[in-house]
Structure formats: structure tokens, C-alpha cells
Amino acid sequence: MKNTLLKALLFLLSLILSILYNPATHADSLVGEIEFTNCKVSDITGKYKVKAECATLSVPENYEDTDGKRIDLHIARFKAKNDKDRTDATTLLAGGPGQAAIETFAPFIRMLKDINNNQDIYLIDQRGTGKSNQMQCDFEDAGLEDAMEFDPVIAKKFTQKCLENLPGDARFYTTSVAMKDLDVVRSSLGLEQWNLYGGSYGTRTAQHYLKQYPNHVRTVILDAVVPVGKPLGPEIALEGQRALDAMLARCADDTDCNTAFPNLTQEVTTLISDLKESPRTVQIENIASGKLEDFNFSASTLTGGVRLALYSPRSLAILPTLLHEAAANDHYGPLARQSINMTRSMVNAMSIGMSNSVMCTEDAPQFASIKLDQAEVERSFMGADFLKGLEIACSIWPKGPIDDGFHDPIISDKPILLLSGDKDPITPPSYAEQTMQQMTNSKHIVIPGQGHIQMHVGCMPKILAKFIDEASFENIDITCMEKVKPDPFFIDFNGPTP
């Protein structure tokens, strides 16, 4: 009896060890050459979790040195509900540059169930983001306040320190290298084609993949379009001002908003001017620790918060109340809290090292070609500090590989759907119109009153699913989007009027 029990225990131990040390027995599914295990993935906060299958794929950091350092790409798979053999799948490309696809899109997977019915959805953290050798800079030593203020000395010091402490060679985290990764993933999965969705900077990656690997693309969705020939950076302040002016004009035309805030335009101008002269010390709660902290609320902090609030109709809706309370009643706390928390969330979601590698290689060399009225830039609520800070960073940052013809227009007959919000503060509808000039099989949908990114707005998920299923615009019906309206303005902290 004892021998039987001992043998049983030894067998059980050997089984456990074989599971622990043999990756093949760990795999819950095999797609092409890639083994996936069941997992949960989450948004940047870690609070919103969703079931998936996860895997990693090793690729060279430098494709010219295949015997050198390798990095792991982190992949999440959401298996199609309808189990059909397909030679294509859908992948979602994140924005930024610097956002991780898994953290960015995990909260939207349930919303995209119509796509996921017939399509495997893959989220792949682009190299340098998320869990794919994240190229993040440490803001703890510099402090969030330093990061939000423009100071040439601090900017140079922070950039140099960031560069010295990154886990990879900053040269090899550009779009051109990342799209090689995406095609390696496709091939390793045994797929013939991708259905590409790209949001914001992700529209650049999608366009570049289409340019480099046209035969490996079935459909493309470009949401908040960045034209390949236009550098990000120089026009950000002007587009931000356009969006702010549109918000102020909408408030003036809205009876309730105008009654509550009849002098809002002047109040905003005065508020920015006053904060430039004399920043305020405010006490706000740290959303991470829950502790109250004193914070230096300056014009730079304000303009950063206003710019981010303009991205979404929901955050924009409360902006008049926040601005009025600070300007008219010297009540800075709510405005400071929103500005600082939104900025913290953005900083946490972005891999600044990867972002610098992209923008300093692909955008900064083009800045001189963009002719702007500098006086108009200086008059904007953002001013020229953002661009100055980027130019300083790029004077230090090494340049990486960029494919020939990177900035040339896309010429394609693939089915391409372009999406814009007409109040987008950074990628206006005109960018999409410029992009689609030589796309002979394209359609542009503009959503009134909306800001940046449309994939989750109204019935758009069903429209996207229909487009991907049929690879055609023929049966696309957008009348369901006519119900979509921007959120009404808050006229006080209790919300909009009934």
C-alpha cells in the first residue's frame, strides 16, 4: 500500500514538473507557430480586465543584426465566436505614438463583439510600448510639474537622462521597424492578410504597413487620420485653438450655456494670462495614493488639461463650468484636478522613449517644411512651448531607420474606411480628405460634434463589423449615427439643465 501511494505521489510530482518546465504542455491553443495560453488583460489602471489568450514572439531589436539582442512582442488574442477557418484576422493599432495596444483597446473588446463574432482580434503591443520592451522614461525624479512646464535646461536634462536609462537602443523603435514586426507576427500566425484598424498615430502605422505589404492587407480603417506627408507637431497648437474656439462658439449659441457663462471667451483669455503671471498653489487628491498634495497650477498645466479635455465630448461638456469657476470665482481646485489627473493619465499611458524615437526620426526632420504664422501660434492658448520642447528632445535623440518613400502619399485600391470627428482638436476631417486623394476605393465618414477617435461612438462598432465582414461599402448604412449628439454642457457642477 505504501509503495502504491509513493508511486502515485512520484507520478503526480513528475506530471507537475513536466507542466512547469515544458512550454508545449502549457499552451491552450496553437495558431500557426505561436502558442497561446489563457490570460486576462487590462487597461492602464489594471481595474478593467477581460479574458484573452496571450503569447510572446521573439524578434530582433535590429533586423540588420539577427544574431544580436532580441525583444519579445506581447500579443493578446480574442478568438472569434464563430469558429471558421479564415486566412485573415483583425488587428488594432494604437495611437500616441507611445500607447500600448492591449491597454488601449482591452476596454473596448466587448463593444467590438460584432467584429469578434467572425474575426479573431489580435492586440499586439508595438515594440517599445506596454509589455513589448517598454521604452518609458522615469518621471519620478523630474516630477510631473517639471514634465508639464517648458524649461530648456530641464527639457535637455530630462531627455538625456531618459535616453541613458532605456532598456533598448532607441534607434530601433520607429514605425518602419515596428511594421516589420507586424508582418512577422502575421506570418507566424499563418495568416494571409490583416484587416487593419488604426487610431490616431495608428493610422500612420496602418498606412505604412499597407504601403510596404499591400498583398497582406484585406481592409483598412483609419480613425482620426494622420496624413503620411504631414509631420505631427507644428500644427498642434493651431488645431487645438480651432477646437477651443468651436467649443466657445457652441456655448455662445447654446441658450443655457450662454446664460450661465456670458463672458466665457474673455474669462479664458484672462485666466491663462493671470496664471502666466502668477501660478496658483492648489491642494488636490492624488488619484493613485488618495492623499492630498499641494500642486503648482500654472498656465502650462491649464493649457495641457484644456487640450486633453477637447479630445472627447464628455470631458469637453464640463469645461465651461471649470473655466468659469476658476476665472470668476477664484475656485481653481476642480479645474486643477481635472487638468492634472488627465495629464497624469496621459503620461502613464505613453511610452515617451518610443514616442521620441518615432517623432524625432519621422516628424522633426520635416518641421522646417511647414510654414506657419508664428505670431498666430504664439497667440493660441497652447503657444509654441510644445513644439520647442519637442525640438530640444529631438536635438539629442538618435534617429532610426525609416523606409524609402515613407512620406509619399498612399496609392491603393484596397477598401479603406476613414473616420473623423468634426471637432477633433488634433486630426481634423481635412487630414482624412488629404489622405484619401489617391485611395480609389475609400469612404470618409465625418461625425458632427465629435472629437478624437470614433470607433466607440454610437452604432459605429456595427458599421465597422459590416465593413470588415464584406470588405465593401455597398451595404454600409450610417443613418444610425444621426442619433449621435455631443454631450450637453454642464451649467454647474450638478450637470446640464433638465
Side-chain angles (χ1 to χ4, degrees):
M1 181 73 176
K2 289 183 179 180
N3 288 339
T4 302
L5 180 60
L6 180 60
K7 287 179 180 179
L9 289 173
L10 289 172
F11 174 77
L12 181 61
L13 179 60
S14 66
L15 181 63
I16 293 172
L17 290 173
S18 70
I19 292 173
L20 288 174
Y21 292 105
N22 184 357
T25 60
H26 251 260
D28 292 300
S29 62
L30 179 68
V31 185
E33 302 168 2
I34 302 181
E35 297 174 344
F36 287 86
T37 58
N38 294 330
C39 64
K40 287 187 177 181
V41 295
S42 70
D43 64 350
I44 188 66
T45 67
K47 295 178 181 177
Y48 184 94
K49 296 183 179 180
V50 60
K51 291 181 180 179
E53 296 177 348
C54 292
T56 59
L57 182 66
S58 175
V59 295
E61 183 178 53
N62 174 9
Y63 277 93
E64 299 297 318
D65 181 13
T66 55
D67 293 327
K69 178 180 176 178
R70 300 185 70 85
I71 60 174
D72 286 338
L73 302 177
H74 189 45
I75 306 168
R77 178 193 184 216
F78 300 87
K79 185 180 178 181
K81 184 177 181 181
N82 299 325
D83 192 13
K84 297 180 180 179
D85 289 334
R86 296 190 66 103
T87 59
D88 62 289
T90 295
T91 188
L92 312 180
L93 307 175
Q99 291 179 299
I102 294 174
E103 294 171 348
T104 299
F105 294 116
F108 297 105
I109 287 298
R110 291 191 180 97
M111 190 181 294
L112 301 177
K113 65 182 186 302
D114 291 308
I115 296 175
N116 209 188
N117 280 340
N118 297 321
Q119 285 271 313
D120 283 354
I121 295 178
Y122 289 94
L123 303 182
I124 306 159
D125 284 348
Q126 186 169 328
R127 60 167 56 209
T129 72
K131 294 182 180 179
S132 296
N133 203 44
Q134 187 182 41
M135 300 282 278
Q136 183 59 289
C137 303
D138 186 359
F139 284 91
E140 289 187 9
D141 290 340
L144 184 65
E145 292 179 62
D146 287 340
M148 294 168 69
E149 301 298 320
F150 174 70
D151 181 302
V153 175
I154 292 176
K156 286 182 179 179
K157 182 179 178 182
F158 174 76
T159 301
Q160 189 62 53
K161 186 172 182 180
C162 170
L163 190 58
E164 291 169 356
N165 290 283
L166 292 175
D169 187 328
R171 294 174 297 169
F172 301 113
Y173 290 80
T174 63
T175 301
S176 295
V177 183
M179 292 307 96
K180 285 188 176 69
D181 292 342
L182 184 58
D183 203 55
V184 170
V185 173
R186 177 203 58 78
S187 177
S188 299
L189 290 169
L191 298 171
E192 291 182 8
Q193 293 182 310
W194 285 121
N195 297 288
L196 299 172
Y197 167 90
S200 194
Y201 161 72
T203 67
R204 176 184 291 180
T205 58
Q207 290 175 81
H208 192 59
Y209 186 87
L210 172 61
K211 185 183 293 183
Q212 296 299 108
Y213 308 99
N215 293 332
H216 299 162
V217 176
R218 180 172 171 269
T219 65
V220 182
I221 299 167
L222 304 177
D223 189 352
V225 185
V226 178
V228 292
K230 186 182 289 291
L232 287 172
E235 297 182 0
I236 284 179
L238 298 181
E239 291 301 335
Q241 185 63 49
R242 179 187 60 81
L244 177 61
D245 290 342
M247 185 273 283
L248 294 170
R250 181 182 150 214
C251 180
D253 290 340
D254 181 287
T255 301
D256 293 330
C257 190
N258 190 49
T259 299
F261 317 116
N263 302 310
L264 187 60
T265 298
Q266 183 57 52
E267 287 176 348
V268 171
T269 302
T270 302
L271 181 61
I272 294 173
S273 176
D274 287 351
L275 286 173
K276 284 181 178 178
E277 291 291 326
S278 179
R280 306 296 197 273
T281 299
V282 295
Q283 194 172 66
I284 65 168
E285 187 179 68
N286 185 313
I287 56 175
S289 68
K291 296 179 180 179
L292 291 175
E293 297 177 347
D294 287 336
F295 201 94
N296 185 51
F297 186 52
S298 66
S300 294
T301 316
L302 169 65
T303 56
V306 168
R307 178 196 166 211
L308 293 174
L310 293 169
Y311 273 55
S312 164
R314 181 163 295 179
S315 54
L316 181 149
I318 198 172
L319 203 50
T321 293
L322 297 175
L323 292 167
H324 171 76
E325 281 295 314
N329 301 322
D330 219 32
H331 186 199
Y332 285 87
L335 179 61
R337 186 178 301 110
Q338 170 156 309
S339 297
I340 293 164
N341 287 341
M342 290 187 79
T343 301
R344 276 183 171 143
S345 296
M346 184 271 292
V347 167
N348 289 336
M350 299 277 284
S351 295
I352 302 302
M354 176 272 195
S355 182
N356 284 351
S357 293
V358 168
M359 297 194 72
C360 295
T361 297
E362 302 165 14
D363 296 284
Q366 284 194 300
F367 286 172
S369 67
I370 303 298
K371 305 302 180 186
L372 300 176
D373 183 340
Q374 290 304 314
E376 187 180 3
V377 173
E378 294 287 355
R379 285 194 300 269
S380 70
F381 79 92
M382 286 183 63
D385 286 354
F386 173 83
L387 191 58
K388 291 176 182 176
L390 187 56
E391 288 173 335
I392 287 174
C394 289
S395 69
I396 299 169
W397 212 262
K399 310 302 182 285
I402 184 169
D403 289 321
D404 292 340
F406 184 89
H407 297 293
D408 293 346
I410 301 292
I411 302 172
S412 177
D413 61 358
K414 296 287 184 178
I416 302 174
L417 180 61
L418 301 93
L419 310 176
S420 299
D422 77 339
K423 299 299 185 290
D424 190 328
I426 187 168
T427 54
S430 61
Y431 283 13
E433 293 293 327
Q434 176 184 332
T435 296
M436 66 189 295
Q437 290 303 306
Q438 298 184 68
M439 295 175 175
T440 58
N441 187 15
S442 61
K443 181 180 180 65
H444 184 201
I445 300 175
V446 182
I447 313 302
Q450 297 301 306
H452 198 61
I453 302 296
Q454 310 307 310
M455 69 176 292
H456 60 282
V457 177
C459 62
M460 187 58 74
K462 291 186 177 295
I463 293 172
L464 302 186
K466 187 92 173 162
F467 171 67
I468 293 172
D469 278 347
E470 300 182 0
S472 168
F473 307 110
E474 185 175 348
N475 297 315
I476 296 294
D477 181 5
I478 64 171
T479 55
C480 59
M481 292 299 294
E482 294 174 1
K483 301 176 183 178
V484 174
K485 306 294 180 186
D487 294 45
F489 287 119
F490 281 48
I491 52 113
D492 56 33
F493 290 114
N494 293 317
T497 52

